[in-house]
Amino acid sequence: MAFVSGLAVGSGSAFTSGSRVKSTSDRIYVQNEKVHTSRSVVSMSARKFFVGGNWKCNGTKQSLLELVDAFKTTDATDAVEVAVGAPAPYLDCTRTALRSDWSVAAQNCWVSAGGAYTGEVSAEMLTDIGCDWVILGHSERRNIPEIKESDEFIADKTAYALGAGLGVIYCIGELLEEREAGKTIEVCERQMKALASKISDWSKIVIAYEPVWAIGTGKVATPEQAEEVHAALREWLAKNVSSQVSESTRILYGGSVSGGNCDELAKKPNIDGFLVGGASLKPDFIKIVESYKFSE
């Protein structure tokens, strides 16, 4: 058993670092900052690179439409999937104005069908206006005291959203004090366990690992730190769900991703894309989208 940066993961064989393949149905260990996997290796072509933008509670209708227009400067490609998370009042106009090869994501939805739930938005309403994705479990909704959504509530919302036809970007990640206490994997596994207890179909789940201490702070996990957690998450999926889900589920990194660090992060074998906050509100979000070229 090896311990790396507060992580504890199992030992195995068959060194597979280098090219962007790598997912496992057996064990993973870290040695000299290189990820080793055993037996099952799947081509990255099975996991299309995914970049999500989370605009949070920012922008005006005019500023966001100008941004959407700036995103039309590159040619369409099937090599990367992109979804932008607009604030709820602007979801409809964003979908109308956005390039057709990109999707729109909501930033939240209610846990059941519509009804007497003042202020909430149902998954059915989101699909009705053309949303394909919803972001659930973001650290701000988990940790802001006035919101403080529980693991179970987020998992329930995820299950309902899937049933309504949405794809879900399911966010997980540890606080700074949890990382310093060596609890990174413990926290992430707890959040994953809550989800696994509520769903059986993982085909429309994208996991976003976002260390809370790196979100909006300008701090970013090193490519090696991010890869360690992503590899451990893939191992958890293999052990607790199935090797097929482990190999096919995309795991994104989020936390101060920018045009300056995305290329190096994208080279890591278990980083399948990004969930981007502040940088997604700038025209050079395109550069982050194009980092898929470094994942091949």
Side-chain angles (χ1 to χ4, degrees):
M1 180 77 72
F3 289 82
V4 182
S5 300
L7 309 183
V9 291
S11 61
S13 60
F15 180 58
T16 59
S17 73
S19 63
R20 188 172 178 79
V21 286
K22 280 69 97 182
S23 72
T24 73
S25 62
D26 195 7
R27 293 180 179 272
I28 297 172
Y29 68 101
V30 179
Q31 184 179 56
N32 298 325
E33 295 187 338
K34 295 181 179 179
V35 174
H36 295 237
T37 66
S38 67
R39 289 201 294 272
S40 175
V41 179
V42 63
S43 169
M44 266 305 301
S45 62
R47 298 199 301 267
K48 181 184 287 191
F49 205 75
F50 188 109
V51 179
N54 182 8
W55 295 345
K56 305 190 181 184
C57 190
N58 290 298
T60 63
K61 181 177 180 180
Q62 183 61 35
S63 69
L64 294 178
L65 289 178
E66 290 173 359
L67 180 66
V68 163
D69 192 56
F71 291 158
K72 297 176 181 178
T73 57
T74 58
D75 294 333
T77 175
D78 289 332
V80 59
E81 186 170 0
V82 184
V84 293
Y90 306 134
L91 284 167
D92 199 10
C93 67
T94 298
R95 175 62 280 168
T96 299
L98 190 66
R99 49 191 292 173
S100 61
D101 58 323
W102 288 17
S103 299
V104 172
Q107 299 175 21
N108 186 36
C109 68
W110 182 233
V111 71
S112 66
Y117 307 111
T118 300
E120 294 295 340
V121 176
S122 72
E124 290 84 357
M125 291 175 179
L126 298 178
T127 59
D128 186 44
I129 61 169
C131 286
D132 296 301
W133 294 90
V134 61
I135 301 167
L136 295 175
H138 193 278
S139 64
E140 289 150 6
R141 299 199 65 83
R142 289 181 184 271
N143 295 299
I144 290 176
E146 292 81 4
I147 303 175
K148 205 73 175 176
E149 292 184 349
S150 68
D151 294 344
E152 183 177 9
F153 184 59
I154 295 163
D156 282 336
K157 291 204 297 185
T158 299
Y160 189 84
L162 291 174
L166 289 169
V168 176
I169 302 170
Y170 182 80
C171 302
I172 64 172
E174 82 282 8
L175 299 167
L176 178 60
E177 55 265 34
E178 292 168 333
R179 169 165 278 271
E180 291 177 339
K183 295 183 177 180
T184 294
I185 297 303
E186 177 185 338
V187 170
C188 292
E189 288 186 350
R190 186 199 76 218
Q191 294 164 344
M192 290 294 295
K193 183 178 179 181
L195 178 62
S197 71
K198 301 289 183 177
I199 70 169
S200 57
D201 182 358
W202 292 73
S203 62
K204 296 184 74 173
I205 289 285
V206 171
I207 298 165
Y209 166 61
E210 297 193 298
V212 181
W213 48 272
I215 298 174
T217 63
K219 299 177 181 179
V220 61
T222 66
E224 290 73 26
Q225 286 175 319
E227 172 66 9
E228 289 168 10
V229 178
H230 283 227
L233 288 170
R234 206 169 298 288
E235 169 69 358
W236 187 92
L237 286 169
K239 286 184 175 181
N240 294 278
V241 183
S242 73
S243 60
Q244 187 277 329
V245 168
S246 172
E247 291 165 357
S248 63
T249 299
R250 291 173 288 185
I251 306 177
L252 316 182
Y253 172 75
S256 296
V257 176
S258 70
N261 59 35
C262 58
D263 294 349
E264 289 303 310
L265 286 161
K267 293 176 183 178
K268 292 300 181 181
N270 285 290
I271 296 178
D272 302 317
F274 305 110
L275 182 58
V276 186
S280 68
L281 286 159
K282 302 174 183 178
D284 65 359
F285 177 61
I286 287 288
K287 185 179 188 311
I288 300 174
V289 171
E290 292 186 337
S291 67
Y292 77 86
K293 297 173 183 178
F294 290 84
S295 73
E296 298 173 340

